[in-house]
Structure formats: structure tokens, C-alpha cells
Amino acid sequence: MGTLIHGLLEHAMSQKKATAEDLHGLGMWLTVEQPQLRQVLELAVKTVLYVSKSDFWDEAKRSDCSVEPPFAFAESFNAILTGVIDLLFGHEGRWQIIDYNTDIDSLNERFHTERSSRCMKGLVSIGIQDVTSAIQSARGV
């Protein structure tokens, strides 16, 4: 379900206005190869609509934001950390990094926190000094 919600969130952020009907239609397309997810499609749409009412969402919509930008940086001589940032936007002179988490459990949260910390260190190491990271839970309503 996490991939479905991420796809819907990406669409909702990149559109001027995403309605429940738009999101449902996209969700039907996103679940073509996983039709079992259609039984949770309404919950996924409600979750996205709920998240889209949050403060960070309004801030991102008002700014020049980037949805799903990739990143890569050298952690060491022989290790490159790569990934995708769910949402990146400027607010009040700072960069905001939003990572939608739909599958948080204690082990996954520890891994995510460690990876986020490594990512933040990498951004600072390449000269992006003023970064704020936020973890947004995109669980069901």
C-alpha cells in the first residue's frame, strides 16, 4: 500500500488541485498489476486527502517545490549513497525535506532515522547548510 500512497501523494503535490475522483482514477491505474490493492484504494485516497490538509503541504504548494528529486553523494571513497527525496521545498529561507513514511515499525524507523542522518550529513558536506528534515507519517485516517 505504501507505493500506492506515494504515487498518489506525488500526483497530488504536482497538480494544482487533485480531487478524490482524480486520485481514485490514478489509483485504479497504479493498481493494474496489483489488483488486490484496490480493496484499500479508498483508504489510500482518504489518507492523501488528509495529508494534503497539513501545514507542510500548504507551505510546499506555495513554494517552488520538487517532487521525487533523486540524490547521490559519496559517503566515503568507495560508498555512494543514492535515493529519492519524496518532497523538497524552500520555506522561510530553509530547505524542507519531507519523507512520507507508510510502513513505520521500530526496526524500519531505526533504519530510516540512520539513513536520514547519513543523507543529511551528505547534504551538508556538499554545501547545503540550511536543511530541515521532517518525517511525515502517511498512515490511514
Side-chain angles (χ1 to χ4, degrees):
M1 184 161 143
T3 303
L4 173 60
I5 291 175
H6 271 75
L8 295 175
L9 285 165
E10 179 180 349
H11 174 77
M13 180 53 69
S14 61
Q15 301 302 308
K16 185 171 184 133
K17 177 85 171 137
T19 65
E21 293 77 27
D22 295 335
L23 295 170
H24 188 272
L26 176 61
M28 291 297 287
W29 182 80
L30 291 172
T31 58
V32 165
E33 294 184 9
Q34 294 180 306
Q36 72 278 9
L37 288 176
R38 290 184 177 160
Q39 61 191 341
V40 295
L41 181 54
E42 291 309 313
L43 177 60
V45 169
K46 285 180 183 179
T47 299
V48 171
L49 292 173
Y50 177 79
V51 170
S52 71
K53 292 180 173 103
S54 64
D55 290 340
F56 86 87
W57 193 270
D58 289 337
E59 293 165 2
K61 282 287 202 176
R62 287 191 305 268
S63 74
D64 185 19
C65 68
S66 192
V67 178
E68 299 282 322
F71 69 87
F73 65 86
E75 274 193 295
S76 65
F77 180 71
N78 60 353
I80 296 176
L81 180 63
T82 62
V84 175
I85 297 170
D86 291 330
L87 177 61
L88 174 69
F89 65 97
H91 178 68
E92 297 179 353
R94 299 179 66 126
W95 286 106
Q96 307 290 318
I97 298 173
I98 305 296
D99 187 21
Y100 309 123
N101 289 285
T102 54
D103 58 353
I104 293 181
D105 58 33
S106 60
L107 180 61
N108 190 4
E109 188 170 6
R110 190 170 67 237
F111 168 77
H112 173 76
T113 301
E114 182 179 306
R115 183 174 167 91
S116 291
S117 175
R118 290 168 45 210
C119 176
M120 297 297 285
K121 287 177 186 173
L123 290 171
V124 170
S125 75
I126 61 171
I128 300 175
Q129 299 296 326
D130 217 5
V131 178
T132 300
S133 181
I135 299 172
Q136 300 295 329
S137 177
R139 293 189 179 168
V141 192

